[in-house]
Amino acid sequence: MQLYDNSDLISRRREQVFLLLAGFFLCSMTLLNVIGITKFVQLGPMALAVGVLPYPLTFLCTDLVSELYGKRRANFMVTVGLIMNVFVILVLSIGNWLPAVSIDNQPPWQVLQLAQDIASPSGASISGSVELYFLIYATTSGAVIASMLAYVAAQYCDVHLYHFWRNLTKGRHLWLRNNFSTLISQGVDSFMVISVTFGAVFLAGGLSLEQMLLLMGSNYLFKFCAALIDTIPLYIAVHYLRRYLHAD
């Protein structure tokens, strides 16, 4: 009876920890889509979209799940994240397609009068009277699609490379598989998300090559620093969670 109770307790612990890691992973990914490129902040030499700030946490979560639960669980979590990305895009699109109520029945902040034309990330020009939701949708929907494409490439790449380095080193050198898998996959992510999000504006002449390279470089530099910093919490988490979950 005691053996059964201990086994049941460990099983519950493993599912609870996985749920917690998956929750942080999905929350960070959703924040990237929701707040996205609504604001750019300056962190030292880096110009970053606010949506990027929580994103490095997703790679820490995938590395922890890969280490503690294996490749299959990590890929499952990434696949669920992909489904959530599609769901976000679907809800945003439905909200844009549905007809709005008449202007007389809308709150005053719902309709904006633009003082001058502005260019959206798609390269289209927006002018005159515009609904707040349409403006947000026009400036962020492309970024959501870009983040989904980058997400698919980077996260599956991260899981695959993590296990490649783990098998190559026969389970030794945790720092190596953590950093090498993350640094390569985040390079893929940074290049793709900036290229897809701002590619149309760049081709239309709204952004210079220097600005594009600055955005790519800032994006990757932030993720590069975050990847190096998260090595310490990764070691601490793996050390204690192995004992807590009775994981090999």
Side-chain angles (χ1 to χ4, degrees):
M1 184 66 179
Q2 185 64 35
L3 289 175
Y4 173 79
D5 289 343
N6 286 340
S7 176
D8 188 52
L9 174 63
I10 293 170
S11 179
R12 287 202 307 271
R13 284 180 178 179
R14 289 176 178 173
E15 293 308 311
Q16 288 168 351
V17 170
F18 177 76
L19 180 62
L20 181 65
L21 292 173
F24 275 114
F25 176 87
L26 296 173
C27 182
S28 299
M29 184 208 67
T30 304
L31 277 173
L32 172 65
N33 289 329
V34 172
I35 60 179
I37 57 173
T38 54
K39 180 180 180 180
F40 282 81
V41 296
Q42 191 74 41
L43 291 180
M46 299 177 289
L48 300 169
V50 290
V52 175
L53 298 180
Y55 192 59
L57 183 60
T58 62
F59 291 92
L60 176 61
C61 290
T62 52
D63 287 352
L64 278 170
V65 172
S66 291
E67 186 68 24
L68 299 169
Y69 295 89
K71 187 175 182 178
R72 182 176 297 179
R73 274 291 184 101
N75 279 330
F76 171 76
M77 185 173 71
V78 172
T79 302
V80 172
L82 174 61
I83 296 171
M84 296 300 101
N85 261 310
V86 174
F87 178 72
V88 168
I89 293 174
L90 180 62
V91 172
L92 286 174
S93 300
I94 291 174
N96 185 59
W97 292 334
L98 290 175
V101 300
S102 65
I103 295 180
D104 295 336
N105 295 326
Q106 292 193 33
W109 60 82
Q110 289 298 111
V111 180
L112 306 177
Q113 296 294 333
L114 300 179
Q116 60 184 22
D117 294 356
I118 60 173
S120 70
S122 65
S125 179
I126 303 174
S127 60
S129 177
V130 60
E131 288 184 339
L132 176 61
Y133 184 86
F134 174 79
L135 183 62
I136 295 174
Y137 179 80
T139 53
T140 60
S141 58
V144 174
I145 295 173
S147 70
M148 183 181 73
L149 296 175
Y151 167 88
V152 171
Q155 294 292 349
Y156 283 114
C157 177
D158 183 55
V159 174
H160 178 77
L161 287 174
Y162 188 92
H163 286 276
F164 168 79
W165 290 111
R166 185 178 186 181
N167 293 333
L168 189 66
T169 59
K170 301 186 186 303
R172 300 189 299 271
H173 310 307
L174 175 60
W175 63 271
L176 188 146
R177 58 182 176 271
N178 168 56
N179 286 304
F180 276 34
S181 64
T182 300
L183 293 177
I184 295 173
S185 57
Q186 289 189 347
V188 173
D189 179 88
S190 299
F191 174 79
M192 285 191 64
V193 74
I194 298 300
S195 298
V196 178
T197 302
F198 301 104
V201 179
F202 171 71
L203 293 175
L207 279 177
S208 66
L209 178 61
E210 182 181 356
Q211 290 173 310
M212 287 284 286
L213 293 177
L214 175 63
L215 290 173
M216 288 182 187
S218 298
N219 199 295
Y220 183 67
L221 179 60
F222 172 72
K223 294 173 182 177
F224 179 93
C225 295
L228 295 179
I229 293 172
D230 78 14
T231 303
I232 296 175
L234 178 71
Y235 265 89
I236 295 172
V238 168
H239 174 73
Y240 286 103
L241 287 176
R242 279 190 186 281
R243 297 167 59 185
Y244 181 71
L245 302 177
H246 292 229
D248 294 334

